Amino acid sequence: MSTLRFHAVKASLKRKPLKIKEKKRRSEIFGSNVFNEVAMRQYLTKTALNSVLEAIEKGTKINRLVADHISTGMKEWAISKGATHYTHWFQPLTGATAEKHDAFFETIGDGLAIEKFGGNQLVQQEPDASSFPNGGIRNTFEARGYTAWDPTSPAFIYDKTLCIPTVFVSYTGEALDFKTPLLRALQVVDNAAVAVCKYFDKNVKSVRTSLGWEQEYFLIDTALALSRPDILLTGRTLLGHSPAKGQQLDDHYFGTIPARAMSYMRDLEHQCMLLGIPVKTRHNEVAPNQFELAPIFEEANLAVDHNSLLMDIMQKIAKRHSFTVLMHEKPFAGVNGSGKHNNWSLSTNTGVNLLSPGKTPMSNLQFLTFFINTIKAVQTHEELLRAAIASASNDHRLGANEAPPAIISIFIGDQLTRVLGELETVPKGKLSPKEITDLKLNVVGKIPEVILDNTDRNRTSSFAFTGNKFEFRAVGSTANCANPMTVLSTIVAKQLMDFKIEVDELIDKKSMKKDDAIFNVLREYIKTSKAILFEGNGYSEAWEKEAKKRGLSNNKTTPEALKIKKAKATIELFDSLKVMNKVESEARYEIEMEDYIHHVQIESRVIGDIARNHVVPTAVRYQNILIENVTGLKSIYGDRFKDFAKAQLVLIEEISEHIETINSSVTKMTEARKVCNKETSLEKKADGYCNKVKPLFQDIRYHCDKLELMIDDELWPLTKYRELLFTK
Ligand code: ADP
Ligand code: MG
């Protein structure tokens, strides 16, 4: 019992839930570590405050003089809360958040020191950024990047450090982070949506994107997690036989939250409250030791920051509770994976959710306009949307165990399907007053305010309408939501712009009335968007066949899925809307492809190591025990030994066969890796890792897992699925 596995199991059995004291009401502490409007009113001059508020609302620039006032106020506030350092906090394309801390502290000669934080330090910083991924941007251009303050996401204090959300761009202005294109895309969809809203309400001045993410994750005891080299290095298990009991009893979903997990959640939620992350929902997920956390939705840029921040603090707080958070989309084979549903909607400054059916026919026509345009946008750009959620880790989740497939489709429910069917029969051209009244009363006016059948609990639709928002479910749990939100905002913006042009043309050239024009354009959209609508089971073979017939993409692997990103039309789309220029688009494609290669490469090395250095030696040891046993039996029974050693002899042979296959597969995999590594074309390299290296994981795993079932439990070195999943 000397293996790490048993030490880990022992340690995990001794754990007790930490006591979490919550002295104050959540509403009292909410946002107390955030430099929000309340704090700003207290610490900023009126000019400074107005300047920040205006920047938040209208995107105006803050001048340097005012920036000095703001930084001073911010510093005073931060110091009053015990902060000693400040940092520009940003989201480079590594998928983590980055920070470099500087102290407020400065010496002023004669052995004296003060606390200082100037406008310049607030507004712009130059981190040494040469080791963040940049997809060749900084090789071709200036070799430096800088971070610049994003006043629309408020500064906050974490770990005694004032964190200032920033964008991260190269000196030539190319985005090197997730936030920059997102901010641009949100602006584009704002403009496009406002223009369309004017058909219905002249008072609409701005349209904001709302995002409510739902973060799924696994909580595994740290000792157990650390005992597995694969979890430690890749965030998922590369081997492991499924336990006798899995999730088939469905007894975990929405069940009582285990005590240690509960204490962790309360601790985490407390931190979230201080940081102004409005978390609201927590529950067990389908798989054992899998959980979900969801906030109240927020403006998308802020929601993205909050999710990134949350993922970071989840790990930090987990340490205190001796937990390791597995964010990976598929930590365990055969068990539900983790996603991050992105609930998305658009709302106006007048307080109208554009994706919520309204009370009057007019507001319903507006709802239908946005609803149908979204469908049309997704139909046109389904492949791009698939690319936006592509990653090595999400590939394992899509299409397995209740996750949506790699095919993008939209679920809208019976009621709205019926409405679209009726709108499709609207006659072409100008409508008679009777036809218009009829439409408004009997079709548009009949859309219920609350859509009843939009629960779609089978969860297999990648993009579902859920009553007053769309839920993009294909997003993976490790993803930065900025990527899918940037793409969704861009394609919807483009669609709304096209819609506006088409409607205006009918009004101007065919002298149609506004309503007639809208109905005419929407009718055509419904006709041309049918392929994307699907209400059935998303991971059936029948659907794969059907989707193919409909011309929908089904890119099952990341290298395949990413291809669309460097297509001419894609680059033009982002470039024409000024969300990303050609260089930025190409750089991102490159970074994501490289990221994919690195992930598979690391996994391949790890599985090779575990198979050869952990599994095979254990198998040999066990085989020796068997041989010893057989030899012993022979010395007692002579020729009759075979009668007593039947099982042992079979096992000895089987073990040899498994060892042999494992060994040859690992050799084959290493060879395949060598070939890939010599490859200079990014596509060929990724393709090799995807189709030559990765498939060998299966073979290796299969035989290792078979050995797990044969070998004496006391000898097996790798913590087993049942221990990882059922230790609470
Ligand atoms: P579930 O999907 O688990 O049934 P809900 O649909 O109530 O739960 O909400 C899930 C998430 O959707 C929450 O984060 C919630 O804040 C968010 N959400 C609700 N309404 C909107 C909206 N209009 N826009 C964006 N997100 C929303
Ligand atoms: Mg949901």
Side-chain angles (χ1 to χ4, degrees):
M1 284 260 222
S2 64
T3 58
L4 182 55
R5 172 179 158 219
F6 287 103
H7 285 296
V9 170
K10 242 194 219 165
S12 75
L13 292 176
K14 286 199 197 118
R15 311 265 196 229
K16 296 259 169 339
L18 293 190
K19 286 210 170 65
I20 304 299
K21 288 188 208 110
E22 284 178 283
K23 287 186 209 121
K24 287 188 180 164
R25 287 188 195 196
R26 295 194 167 186
S27 59
E28 279 177 85
I29 57 167
F30 184 72
S32 57
N33 285 351
V34 180
F35 197 55
N36 53 21
E37 208 176 315
V38 179
M40 285 197 278
R41 283 191 192 284
Q42 201 181 339
Y43 283 88
L44 295 187
T45 60
K46 213 173 191 143
T47 330
L49 173 71
N50 288 338
S51 173
V52 179
L53 293 181
E54 215 179 298
I56 295 171
E57 261 157 46
K58 299 185 197 137
T60 48
K61 288 233 152 60
I62 292 171
N63 81 41
R64 280 292 163 120
L65 206 70
V66 180
D68 274 333
H69 291 288
I70 300 169
S71 62
T72 307
M74 217 186 252
K75 177 197 71 186
E76 288 310 316
W77 168 77
I79 289 174
S80 80
K81 296 255 165 202
T84 55
H85 287 65
Y86 64 90
T87 180
H88 274 197
W89 181 86
F90 57 103
Q91 297 162 56
L93 297 165
T94 46
T97 54
E99 43 197 82
K100 169 179 161 256
H101 298 186
D102 281 300
F104 290 122
F105 169 87
E106 256 176 47
T107 53
I108 50 167
D110 295 334
L112 299 174
I114 56 165
E115 254 83 35
K116 200 173 159 224
F117 180 55
N120 286 341
Q121 287 140 321
L122 165 67
V123 174
Q124 192 167 316
Q125 292 265 305
E126 207 176 311
D128 174 21
S130 52
S131 46
F132 292 112
N134 55 63
I137 286 180
R138 282 202 313 264
N139 302 336
T140 358
F141 293 85
E142 181 73 51
R144 285 182 304 176
Y146 66 92
T147 52
W149 179 33
D150 165 22
T152 61
S153 181
F156 57 89
I157 297 171
Y158 187 70
D159 253 357
K160 294 190 187 294
T161 303
L162 170 66
C163 301
I164 299 147
T166 58
V167 296
F168 179 41
V169 287
S170 76
Y171 258 88
T172 41
E174 276 90 12
L176 296 172
D177 66 350
F178 281 110
K179 190 193 264 273
T180 309
L182 174 69
L183 288 172
R184 293 177 190 152
L186 293 175
Q187 187 60 55
V188 172
V189 78
D190 177 353
N191 297 343
V194 167
V196 170
C197 283
K198 299 269 190 212
Y199 288 135
F200 308 96
D201 180 359
K202 294 266 182 271
N203 295 320
V204 173
K205 297 262 174 334
S206 69
V207 169
R208 289 208 164 179
T209 301
S210 308
L211 165 64
W213 39 262
E214 302 166 55
Q215 179 74 52
E216 293 179 340
Y217 61 98
F218 281 83
L219 275 184
I220 306 296
D221 185 274
T222 300
L224 298 176
L226 291 181
S227 73
R228 299 265 320 206
D230 46 1
I231 294 184
L232 183 66
L233 297 175
T234 71
R236 74 167 175 124
T237 56
L238 297 168
L239 304 177
H241 203 282
S242 32
K245 176 187 168 184
Q247 60 188 46
Q248 59 277 74
L249 299 182
D250 272 337
D251 50 357
H252 185 66
Y253 192 47
F254 281 173
T256 316
I257 300 173
R260 270 180 76 199
M262 184 62 148
S263 140
Y264 166 72
M265 286 177 186
R266 284 175 52 192
D267 202 0
L268 176 63
E269 285 164 5
H270 179 75
Q271 263 309 320
C272 286
M273 286 298 114
L274 296 176
L275 290 167
I277 306 174
V279 291
K280 191 166 165 75
T281 310
R282 62 177 176 217
H283 60 79
N284 289 352
E285 260 302 328
V286 181
N289 280 350
Q290 190 189 25
F291 306 94
E292 179 184 300
L293 179 70
I296 297 168
F297 65 93
E298 299 177 283
E299 187 278 320
N301 176 40
L302 187 59
V304 167
D305 281 1
H306 278 164
N307 182 246
S308 294
L309 180 58
L310 174 93
M311 291 204 282
D312 190 39
I313 62 174
M314 276 175 85
Q315 297 290 5
K316 287 182 178 153
I317 290 171
K319 286 217 171 79
R320 292 210 269 272
H321 297 258
S322 307
F323 274 134
T324 295
V325 181
L326 302 187
M327 288 283 179
H328 196 285
E329 281 82 354
K330 198 75 181 175
F332 304 98
V335 168
N336 259 48
S338 298
K340 178 152 48 199
H341 297 175
N342 277 203
N343 293 273
W344 170 88
S345 70
L346 295 168
S347 63
T348 67
N349 63 309
T350 53
V352 175
N353 175 355
L354 295 168
L355 288 168
S356 186
K359 288 193 175 67
T360 63
M362 203 54 191
S363 60
N364 270 338
L365 185 55
Q366 175 170 283
F367 156 70
L368 281 171
T369 298
F370 281 88
F371 178 68
I372 295 169
N373 270 288
T374 304
I375 294 173
K376 173 85 171 152
V378 175
Q379 154 76 35
T380 314
H381 299 285
E382 47 90 12
E383 202 168 0
L384 199 51
L385 220 44
R386 161 66 181 100
I389 51 113
S391 69
S393 48
N394 207 18
D395 281 358
H396 297 290
R397 164 180 168 257
L398 296 178
N401 298 88
E402 296 187 33
I407 306 163
I408 301 289
S409 69
I410 305 182
F411 168 96
I412 60 170
D414 291 347
Q415 289 176 324
L416 288 163
T417 302
R418 243 176 283 129
V419 172
L420 294 197
E422 288 181 63
L423 284 179
E424 202 188 331
T425 63
V426 170
K428 283 195 178 169
K430 288 185 193 173
L431 301 172
S432 68
K434 183 180 172 301
E435 279 168 333
I436 279 279
T437 319
D438 200 44
L439 262 176
K440 286 190 173 165
L441 278 183
N442 296 324
V443 181
V444 183
K446 283 239 173 99
I447 300 174
E449 242 186 284
V450 182
I451 306 282
L452 293 175
D453 62 344
N454 281 73
T455 46
D456 182 32
R457 281 296 164 212
N458 74 27
R459 303 263 147 173
T460 58
S461 176
S462 36
F463 203 86
F465 184 71
T466 47
N468 59 359
K469 61 191 186 287
F470 279 99
E471 187 167 333
F472 191 9
R473 291 181 181 150
V475 185
S477 49
T478 57
N480 184 311
C481 307
N483 194 2
M485 284 298 111
T486 301
V487 173
L488 186 58
S489 305
T490 306
I491 63 175
V492 169
K494 170 73 178 136
Q495 180 50 51
L496 290 171
M497 287 157 85
D498 290 348
F499 172 77
K500 175 94 173 43
I501 293 170
E502 288 181 59
V503 170
D504 285 351
E505 222 171 62
L506 291 182
I507 296 173
D508 296 342
K509 297 203 179 125
K510 301 260 160 83
S511 55
M512 277 192 195
K513 286 216 188 73
K514 184 187 73 192
D515 288 356
D516 292 11
I518 291 175
F519 278 121
N520 270 281
V521 176
L522 291 183
R523 181 194 58 236
E524 294 312 301
Y525 285 179
I526 294 170
K527 284 192 177 153
T528 51
S529 302
K530 280 192 184 150
I532 200 78
L533 299 177
F534 177 64
E535 308 282 302
N537 183 355
Y539 53 81
S540 61
E541 249 172 65
W543 170 230
E544 284 203 65
K545 273 196 200 135
E546 166 71 18
K548 192 168 178 196
K549 251 197 251 155
R550 295 185 185 189
L552 298 177
S553 67
N554 185 4
N555 296 322
K556 291 193 174 162
T557 67
T558 294
E560 255 181 289
L562 290 179
K563 269 186 198 141
I564 187 82
K565 284 201 157 186
K566 59 164 192 167
K568 202 162 157 245
T570 307
I571 290 179
E572 270 170 19
L573 169 70
F574 287 112
D575 195 38
S576 66
L577 297 183
K578 298 202 164 43
V579 173
M580 284 188 282
N581 64 26
K582 187 165 184 279
V583 177
E584 290 170 321
S585 286
E586 285 173 348
R588 259 146 235 266
Y589 167 75
E590 234 176 80
I591 290 168
E592 286 170 33
M593 287 287 271
E594 274 170 4
D595 186 66
Y596 177 82
I597 293 168
H598 290 149
H599 269 90
V600 182
Q601 188 178 47
I602 292 168
E603 289 192 345
S604 163
R605 289 187 190 138
V606 174
I607 197 174
D609 167 59
I610 301 181
R612 278 221 168 116
N613 302 323
H614 298 241
V615 175
V616 169
T618 309
V620 169
R621 209 177 318 147
Y622 183 55
Q623 199 183 35
N624 280 339
I625 294 176
L626 293 170
I627 291 171
E628 211 179 294
N629 174 263
V630 173
T631 324
L633 288 170
K634 200 172 175 182
S635 73
I636 301 175
Y637 295 107
D639 285 349
R640 280 177 59 217
F641 84 97
K642 278 194 183 162
D643 293 343
F644 306 105
K646 269 186 214 136
Q648 292 88 318
L649 288 168
V650 171
L651 275 175
I652 290 170
E653 274 182 36
E654 279 181 9
I655 289 175
S656 284
E657 281 160 22
H658 288 305
I659 291 178
E660 169 55 27
T661 324
I662 291 171
N663 207 40
S664 64
S665 300
V666 172
T667 307
K668 247 201 253 167
M669 182 178 71
T670 316
E671 291 305 319
R673 229 162 50 213
K674 279 187 193 150
V675 175
C676 289
N677 292 346
K678 286 204 197 95
E679 194 50 74
T680 47
S681 136
L682 194 60
E683 279 75 24
K684 285 193 184 146
K685 195 168 179 170
D687 181 65
Y689 268 104
C690 181
N691 298 311
K692 297 268 156 50
V693 176
K694 205 178 70 172
L696 288 162
F697 292 11
Q698 300 279 0
D699 299 348
I700 299 169
R701 176 176 196 147
Y702 176 81
H703 293 279
C704 290
D705 289 356
K706 285 282 173 211
L707 285 173
E708 180 183 329
L709 288 187
M710 291 180 176
I711 289 173
D712 180 359
D713 185 56
E714 290 217 359
L715 291 182
W716 192 252
L718 296 164
T719 302
K720 294 189 171 180
Y721 265 33
R722 66 159 188 273
E723 290 148 352
L724 292 165
L725 287 168
F726 292 96
T727 306
K728 296 192 196 312

